[in-house]
Amino acid sequence: MTTPFPYEPGSATGPVPPPQCPAHATGTGPGGLRRLFGPEAEADPAGLYEKLRAEHGTVAPVLMHGDVPAWLVLGHSENLHMTRTPSQFSRDSRRWRALQEGTVAPDHPLAPVFTWQPVCSFAEGATHERLRGAVTDSMARIDTRGVRRHINRYSNRLVNDFCKEGRTELVSQFAERLPMMVMCAIIGMPEEYNDRLVQAARDMTRGSETAVASNAYVIGALDRLVERRRKVPGEDFATWLVEHPAGLTDKEVSEHLRVVLIVAYETTTNLIANVLRMVLTDPRFRARLSGGHMTVPEAVEQTLWDEPPFTSVLGRWAVGDTELGGQQIKAGDALIVGIAPANTDPAVRPDLTASMEGNRAHLAFSSGPHECPGQDIGRAIADVGVDALLMRLPDLELSVEESQLSWVGNFVSRHLVELPASFAPSPEQEIDAEPLPAVSRARSQADWEVASPAMPRPAGTVPAGYAPGGAQAAAPHAPSDTPVAVPAQRSRPPKLWQAVVRWWNGH
């Protein structure tokens, strides 16, 4: 297909049925376009992507909730071009022709996703630089080691809740709870953590009837936090946004906190659930993990390829008439970043069963100027959380047949409903009663990935100051006058490390 949409809302094809109408239950809608929502799409999204790829190539016309048309970008290189070329494909949703014409209502189920807000993810140019700079600068102040201690503490606290039972449901009792506990601590509102906040965060991106109300609940909690931090600053992310030289308004601070909280929570919840499912169901993963040949961070990266936390993201609007993947895109058209289909594009991944170890070319966190700035926070929560769980319950096993697992969601994300597991009952672990450290720090952002897979290096070389397992080392046959680089973040006193270095150098 190389022509614009054969169907537009409100066109001569007839009135659009309401979202809850049984007419939406089928996989195709007006103009013969395939729907990205409904039972068929949710049951087999990968199959839908392949049908669209076969029918239209790397860019396909589709229908979102309410039969609103959009372009789903399936190709890996096409997604990279779209996300890296804001001059052609803007993040400003106010450009959407359907919104300008009033064919998409403000109470649309996906309104929390596409409604323009004064945040960096909807801005371009100088405004984007000012707002994103405030976010990235504030993130750079996070104490990575302190947060990893938060993650480990909260993980063990959650395991204590079910370790004596010998069984658990890992999605609701672990994957959905850990990210919110950690993010509330980072943002500066641990007192707001409760089941209602967890439920609201999951609901607001699902395109449900209650998504707008859930969004309002989250915003209310964040507005209260911003008001408190204007009066009483703290050592947390909210305070750093409030005090940043960019001079964010209360509304801008609140909306950025919402983006950070929800995106980090949603992606990390799905990531943890998907990693655990792979560990429990894929014999390659479990055998390699237990045999010591695959680390949890490597399992996380493979999962980001195979089952990304966000399957696709509505978030680009054509600045003018253009062409992408052989399709004629009109000014104001909506485009969807196809994360999951891009990760399975035959052009970059002809063999889906092949290991992607060491390859981070996936689009799990998008790309370009709007690439997720907090992706390493999500990786850290998944790395430390899953590792802590497996350390406590090394005999963890799936307690149902894999075929009984099910998913719900929409084109934005796919949620594992339940992951029942069993294990040998064990006693609760005593958790340090001392207060956890503050989340502020003055260290390198690279410290986030202390446990992440090393990048490929020439044979015979090692990372400066590191050895497998995190031990200090140099090359086995390094000359005695070769200095040993010592990482800035270590628990031993500096004087001790100086003595070690002097000893190593023969002084």
Side-chain angles (χ1 to χ4, degrees), residues 208-280:
S208 67
E209 297 178 22
T210 56
V212 174
S214 294
N215 182 58
Y217 179 86
V218 172
I219 283 291
L222 296 173
D223 285 344
R224 293 191 295 273
L225 173 62
V226 174
E227 184 179 356
R228 290 197 302 272
R229 289 299 177 254
R230 287 289 186 191
K231 298 175 182 177
V232 183
E235 287 296 320
D236 51 53
F237 189 78
T239 298
W240 301 329
L241 283 182
V242 166
E243 297 179 344
H244 194 273
L248 274 62
T249 65
D250 284 3
K251 180 65 173 175
E252 288 175 331
V253 172
S254 180
E255 289 292 351
H256 279 91
L257 290 175
R258 183 183 77 103
V259 171
V260 170
L261 176 66
I262 299 305
V263 172
Y265 170 75
E266 177 73 7
T267 57
T268 310
T269 292
N270 290 339
L271 180 58
I272 292 173
N274 292 334
V275 169
L276 288 173
R277 180 186 66 84
M278 284 188 143
V279 167
L280 296 180

Side-chain angles (χ1 to χ4, degrees), residues 75-91:
H76 190 274
S77 62
E78 287 77 10
N79 271 288
L80 287 179
H81 176 75
M82 177 176 64
T83 55
R84 295 176 178 179
T85 316
S87 60
Q88 288 182 291
F89 305 100
S90 174
R91 278 288 289 136

Side-chain angles (χ1 to χ4, degrees), residues 143-339:
D143 179 358
T144 58
R145 190 168 66 176
V147 169
R148 294 176 83 90
R149 288 178 61 186
H150 276 279
I151 300 166
N152 190 66
R153 167 85 69 84
Y154 292 148
S155 297
N156 281 290
R157 182 184 299 175
L158 289 172
V159 174
N160 277 353
D161 290 340
F162 53 75
C163 63
K164 292 182 178 180
E165 303 297 324
R167 63 183 184 280
T168 186
E169 197 289 287
L170 290 169
V171 175
S172 62
Q173 293 189 269
F174 191 81
E176 289 186 346
R177 295 179 179 273
L178 179 61
M180 186 60 75
M181 297 172 83
V182 176
M183 291 309 302
C184 283
I186 290 175
I187 287 176
M189 56 176 204
E191 72 283 352
E192 293 280 3
Y193 170 79
N194 56 35
D195 289 343
R196 177 70 180 95
L197 191 62
V198 171
Q199 294 165 0
R202 298 232 74 182
D203 180 56
M204 59 187 290
T205 61
R206 291 183 175 181
S208 67
E209 297 178 22
T210 56
V212 174
S214 294
N215 182 58
Y217 179 86
V218 172
I219 283 291
L222 296 173
D223 285 344
R224 293 191 295 273
L225 173 62
V226 174
E227 184 179 356
R228 290 197 302 272
R229 289 299 177 254
R230 287 289 186 191
K231 298 175 182 177
V232 183
E235 287 296 320
D236 51 53
F237 189 78
T239 298
W240 301 329
L241 283 182
V242 166
E243 297 179 344
H244 194 273
L248 274 62
T249 65
D250 284 3
K251 180 65 173 175
E252 288 175 331
V253 172
S254 180
E255 289 292 351
H256 279 91
L257 290 175
R258 183 183 77 103
V259 171
V260 170
L261 176 66
I262 299 305
V263 172
Y265 170 75
E266 177 73 7
T267 57
T268 310
T269 292
N270 290 339
L271 180 58
I272 292 173
N274 292 334
V275 169
L276 288 173
R277 180 186 66 84
M278 284 188 143
V279 167
L280 296 180
T281 61
D282 191 326
R284 297 172 304 166
F285 280 80
R286 193 57 183 258
R288 295 186 68 192
L289 277 168
S290 60
H293 300 295
M294 170 175 275
T295 65
V296 171
E298 287 169 345
V300 168
E301 290 303 319
Q302 182 70 40
T303 302
L304 289 171
W305 274 103
D306 296 339
E307 194 74 48
F310 279 156
T311 52
S312 57
V313 177
L314 170 63
R316 296 299 187 280
W317 289 270
V319 174
D321 292 352
T322 187
E323 182 178 321
L324 182 66
Q327 302 285 17
Q328 301 302 314
I329 312 297
K330 295 166 59 179
D333 277 358
L335 295 98
I336 301 169
V337 181
I339 295 172

Side-chain angles (χ1 to χ4, degrees), residues 140 142 144 441-449 488-489:
I142 296 175
T144 58
R441 61 99 175 187
R443 278 188 278 269
S444 167
Q445 185 70 13
D447 290 344
W448 271 119
E449 300 191 71
Q489 178 179 293

Side-chain angles (χ1 to χ4, degrees), residues 19 36-37 42 63-68 108-110 206-207 410-411:
L36 287 184
F37 64 98
E42 293 171 10
L63 296 174
M64 300 186 297
H65 291 70
D67 281 344
V68 177
H108 188 278
L110 293 176
R206 291 183 175 181
N410 54 39
F411 76 88

